[in-house]
Amino acid sequence: MPNPNRILQACKNCRQRKVKCDGSRPACQRCLTRGDSCRWPDELVQGGYVAISDDTDEARVRAEPAFSSPASIAASGFEPDGAGSSEISQHRLGRLLDIFWTGHHAVELCGFLHRGSFEAQLFEPGNAFLLSAIISLSSLYVSNDEAREAYGFASSKALSDHYASRARQHSRDSSDNPIVRTVQANLVLGLRELLAMTDCKAWMYVGLAIRMAQALRMRKEYNQLHHPREREIRRRTFWACVTLDRLVAFSTFRTQTIEVDLVTIHLPCTEAAFAFGQDEPGPTVEDMRSSMPNTTEPGILPYFIVTVILWGDMGAHYVNRGRRAANQPPNDPSGAFYKAELAMRQWMLKLPRELLWSYDNLQGHRSLGQDKLFVNMHFLIHHTLFVAHQEYLPLLEASLLGDFPVDAGMDAAGTPFEYYDESMVASCLFNADSVTEMVRLLSVGRNLNSDPFCSTFGGLAMLSAANIYLWGYFPRVGAASPDQGQVDILQSKANFDFLLDTVKSWRGRWELASAWANALELLFVLYQIAFGEAGEPLDDSPYSYVTIDKAPSESVGLTPSASNAEDELSNTPRRFQLREGDGLPDSTALISQGLYYKIRVTLGLAMENAELCQRMLRLSKEKMWQNVWLHKSIYEAMKEPEAFPSHVLM
């Protein structure tokens, strides 16, 4: 009796190397890992796959349905092959699609697919790329047990990596063929790569989707020849480009691509109009921000998108310039900071009563299946009002002996970094507390991994809020404020621990959450070096904070993605990573920078290059002890000058 798990045919590359091939088409996993063109023998093999016998570099499988038709899936069932099956049963595929529909599709992807139409055409060859990307994204949310028992993979990560490799191959094959479905597939793949922390792939795939959308001129309403439903799909797809452009740019500390002022398409229509294909376009951004009445008639999605745009404006100011490069102070009406804050505060006044944050409204939106949009919209509102403000918290550079004041320097607008602005402190504390209270409410009585809590926008808001709590916790920083009663030191520490714990609870699903946790722990060490004893917690906290003598992956459990692992045949590292000289600051130069800049680098770069931040902290620690000896010697010399030669005091 033949072995059902045996691979009947290997690709040409694996046969030549005499290594095991997993038989996946159009490209096996081993060729995908090496970046080789996967070539197959001429014969028509079992399963109906077509191969091309061309030995040139362009040789590759040209046509192959990535998934069987519903009938063939139902007939064949699910047959794992040890390395993970290349086919998924219709029932189990439905489970992954349900995760997609109720998760990221409704939020970051702006509901850009019409579910009925897509599922009716699910197994057509033109959907292979998008379906692979969807499976790779949804697989992050299945348990390891389910991945093994239902899908035949060792873990949910292995399942996701397998289909992400397929999707990347499809993306390469279609990179010069911009169509709406390919734009959508690249967006889904880019979001998956962001959550999986696969280097700069998220930036690249979302950028490719944006270029394709712009090539199709999807930002304009020149689409009247299309059916109303197709026009709406194009609109929602472009707004998904805008949303992911803002999300990925902020998460990777890079510049946004889309200039929203040039976008003239309507915002999404109501879900009912979309479902029935009615020609009822939604309002424009200008309508929503100027003349739109306070009503929920357009639905929540247009409100969410406008909120993303306003958050993106403040996020761009924070990422691209920051306090050190901003020529205007935050209270200057001509400055970008002032305009972005004012726009968000005016927008908050336009929200209808049903969209204000409250437990009753949360329950109401949950009953309508739109609680994720509601929750993420309010994470964005609050984050906008302290993400750039946190850089204006007064930072008093630590004096190593307590007797020598240290000049913290000035920003580009001429304001000292230790200047206390009561409105800035109040905005930071209020909105950070609002984010934390939202997190507490959402986590009561439910698993922190459950919907709608696991949120990209929420995670970014918690990252900034945790920094504010560290500012409040370390007393020598808080001592810069005239009203110390405004900051509850113990509560600040408790809130920081709670947010760190929450982020850590997401690590089973997202590598991005591991990077967030790593950034927070490095940030804690940075504050300790500046204001406490480096490398040790200041109290009996149950958490063991990262030490700067370990590699980040060793200290917080970061594990490289399979796509980043070394090729098992050639031992050639496949990982792309920026290094000093590629646009990253020199870690040795960072130690001479003030605390403000070190905090900014840690928050901005720890997710992409934790090793750089770790070297900065290690060098700062070594420099600190050198300065302790020097300052102590000078201090003693000033008290007893006769005990030291005159040249020591010069």
Side-chain angles (χ1 to χ4, degrees):
M1 181 176 179
N3 182 2
N5 293 331
R6 181 174 177 268
I7 302 300
L8 298 180
Q9 190 171 50
C11 73
K12 286 186 176 182
N13 294 339
C14 290
R15 288 169 64 89
Q16 290 173 358
R17 297 191 187 101
K18 297 183 179 180
V19 295
K20 182 179 179 180
C21 179
D22 63 8
S24 298
R25 296 178 180 242
C28 71
Q29 183 63 43
R30 195 176 296 276
C31 288
L32 286 175
T33 301
R34 294 177 58 88
D36 294 340
S37 176
C38 193
R39 300 171 299 156
W40 294 87
D42 296 340
E43 298 84 20
L44 186 67
V45 299
Q46 183 178 0
Y49 298 105
V50 179
I52 292 179
S53 60
D54 186 348
D55 291 332
T56 65
D57 291 338
E58 290 77 18
R60 66 177 66 203
V61 178
R62 304 293 187 192
E64 178 255 349
F67 303 90
S68 302
S69 66
S72 63
I73 285 181
S76 63
F78 177 73
E79 298 180 356
D81 62 9
S85 173
S86 61
E87 303 292 349
I88 294 180
S89 71
Q90 189 174 11
H91 169 71
R92 287 160 182 157
L93 178 59
R95 152 86 169 130
L96 296 174
L97 287 173
D98 284 340
I99 293 173
F100 176 72
W101 295 127
T102 60
H104 294 290
H105 178 255
V107 183
E108 295 95 341
L109 299 172
C110 299
F112 61 26
L113 288 174
H114 183 266
R115 182 169 183 173
S117 301
F118 178 71
E119 291 187 339
Q121 305 170 352
L122 190 63
F123 300 101
E124 292 188 1
N127 286 328
F129 179 13
L130 180 55
L131 198 51
S132 294
I134 289 173
I135 293 175
S136 70
L137 177 61
S138 297
S139 298
L140 298 174
Y141 296 90
V142 303
S143 67
N144 289 334
D145 288 342
E146 184 178 0
R148 284 191 295 269
E149 296 169 5
Y151 300 98
F153 285 80
S155 65
S156 60
K157 181 177 178 299
L159 175 61
S160 178
D161 285 344
H162 178 80
Y163 283 96
S165 295
R166 280 190 167 195
R168 293 186 197 115
Q169 183 64 50
H170 283 299
S171 181
R172 288 190 287 269
D173 291 343
S174 61
S175 61
D176 59 351
N177 182 29
I179 58 174
V180 174
R181 197 61 101 219
T182 305
V183 174
Q184 295 171 334
N186 277 300
L187 289 174
V188 176
L189 179 58
L191 179 57
R192 184 269 174 190
E193 304 291 39
L194 175 66
L195 300 180
M197 284 295 293
T198 53
D199 308 316
C200 64
K201 290 186 177 66
W203 173 260
M204 302 299 291
Y205 288 120
V206 171
L208 179 58
I210 292 171
R211 285 295 188 187
M212 287 184 168
Q214 290 174 330
L216 296 170
R217 300 193 181 278
M218 291 171 62
R219 65 180 177 86
K220 294 182 178 292
E221 286 285 351
Y222 300 148
N223 53 22
Q224 300 307 311
L225 297 180
H226 294 292
H227 184 274
R229 179 176 291 155
E230 179 62 26
R231 294 204 296 268
E232 180 64 16
I233 288 173
R234 293 169 72 94
R235 294 185 190 111
R236 290 181 177 225
T237 300
F238 193 81
W239 287 121
C241 289
V242 172
T243 300
L244 282 172
D245 180 36
R246 269 65 183 157
L247 174 62
V248 173
F250 187 92
S251 300
T252 61
F253 232 57
R254 287 179 168 85
T255 304
Q256 297 172 11
T257 302
I258 299 175
E259 189 173 347
V260 177
D261 291 342
L262 301 179
V263 178
T264 60
I265 58 173
H266 290 273
L267 289 163
C269 65
T270 64
E271 295 304 318
F274 187 34
F276 294 104
Q278 298 170 346
D279 190 9
E280 298 178 4
T284 65
V285 173
E286 183 179 358
D287 291 338
M288 294 287 288
R289 295 185 60 180
S290 58
S291 59
M292 196 73 187
N294 292 7
T295 175
T296 57
E297 183 178 343
I300 190 174
L301 184 55
Y303 282 96
F304 170 77
I305 292 173
V306 174
T307 304
V308 168
I309 293 171
L310 298 178
W311 169 78
D313 291 343
M314 184 64 86
H317 173 77
Y318 170 70
V319 170
N320 298 339
R321 299 186 63 80
R323 180 178 181 181
R324 173 161 292 193
N327 295 321
Q328 301 95 348
N331 58 356
D332 186 339
S334 66
F337 184 105
Y338 183 93
K339 292 177 181 178
E341 180 183 27
L342 179 63
M344 179 56 81
R345 293 194 182 278
Q346 290 176 338
W347 175 243
M348 292 169 63
L349 297 176
K350 285 186 169 292
L351 295 180
R353 179 177 56 84
E354 296 83 359
L355 292 183
L356 299 178
W357 178 259
S358 71
Y359 180 76
D360 289 341
N361 282 347
L362 174 62
Q363 292 296 95
H365 288 289
R366 182 171 290 161
S367 68
L368 297 174
Q370 56 192 30
D371 48 340
K372 294 179 179 65
L373 281 172
F374 180 69
V375 167
N376 280 277
M377 184 179 75
H378 282 278
F379 275 135
L380 289 169
I381 288 173
H382 288 297
H383 196 204
T384 303
L385 298 177
F386 71 91
V387 60
H389 301 62
Q390 64 184 316
E391 296 199 313
Y392 290 87
L393 292 172
L395 289 174
L396 198 63
E397 295 288 332
S399 172
L400 295 171
L401 297 176
D403 296 273
F404 296 99
V406 178
D407 184 5
M410 293 186 179
D411 58 23
T415 304
F417 282 107
E418 69 268 23
Y419 175 71
Y420 180 84
D421 187 324
E422 186 174 355
S423 64
M424 288 292 171
V425 174
S427 185
C428 286
L429 294 176
F430 174 79
N431 287 285
D433 286 344
S434 297
V435 167
T436 305
E437 288 308 309
M438 286 179 61
V439 176
R440 291 188 189 278
L441 176 63
L442 293 166
S443 62
V444 170
R446 60 173 59 232
N447 187 323
L448 294 183
N449 277 318
S450 65
D451 299 326
F453 187 67
C454 208
S455 158
T456 52
F457 294 114
L460 294 173
M462 287 191 289
L463 197 66
S464 298
N467 177 51
I468 290 170
Y469 290 133
L470 285 180
W471 172 86
Y473 172 61
F474 283 85
R476 296 179 80 173
V477 183
S481 66
D483 183 11
Q484 186 66 21
Q486 193 173 355
V487 180
D488 187 330
I489 294 177
L490 295 180
Q491 187 60 48
S492 294
K493 181 57 164 56
N495 288 342
F496 174 83
D497 288 340
F498 170 70
L499 294 179
L500 177 59
D501 238 10
T502 301
V503 170
K504 284 183 173 181
S505 72
W506 298 354
R507 292 185 298 183
R509 291 182 171 181
W510 298 353
E511 286 293 327
L512 179 62
S514 294
W516 283 341
N518 187 42
L520 291 180
E521 294 186 323
L522 287 172
L523 197 62
F524 189 93
V525 173
L526 173 60
Y527 275 93
Q528 284 183 313
I529 291 174
F531 301 104
E533 184 175 353
E536 297 180 5
L538 299 184
D539 60 5
D540 295 329
S541 170
Y543 307 115
S544 177
Y545 291 100
V546 62
T547 61
I548 58 178
D549 298 323
K550 293 181 180 179
S553 58
E554 182 182 351
S555 43
V556 295
L558 285 172
T559 56
S561 171
S563 59
N564 295 332
E566 291 188 355
D567 188 297
E568 61 185 67
L569 295 176
S570 63
N571 291 324
T572 302
R574 301 287 302 171
R575 176 168 182 157
F576 167 83
Q577 186 175 28
L578 286 175
R579 294 177 173 81
E580 295 175 23
D582 290 335
L584 292 178
D586 184 353
S587 57
T588 58
L590 286 174
I591 62 173
S592 62
Q593 299 290 334
L595 181 59
Y596 153 81
Y597 191 70
K598 292 176 183 176
I599 293 173
R600 179 177 173 83
V601 168
T602 303
L603 283 173
L605 295 181
M607 289 178 285
E608 179 177 19
N609 196 308
E611 290 84 356
L612 171 68
C613 299
Q614 190 178 43
R615 287 196 299 274
M616 175 190 72
L617 294 177
R618 184 167 58 249
L619 293 171
S620 297
K621 179 181 177 182
E622 294 171 356
K623 185 71 173 179
M624 179 191 72
W625 291 115
Q626 295 173 7
N627 289 342
V628 165
W629 179 87
L630 178 61
H631 286 190
K632 185 174 182 180
S633 300
I634 296 175
Y635 180 66
E636 292 177 353
M638 291 176 65
K639 291 193 299 183
E640 300 181 22
E642 66 279 1
F644 288 84
S646 59
H647 69 272
V648 174
L649 303 179
M650 294 178 62

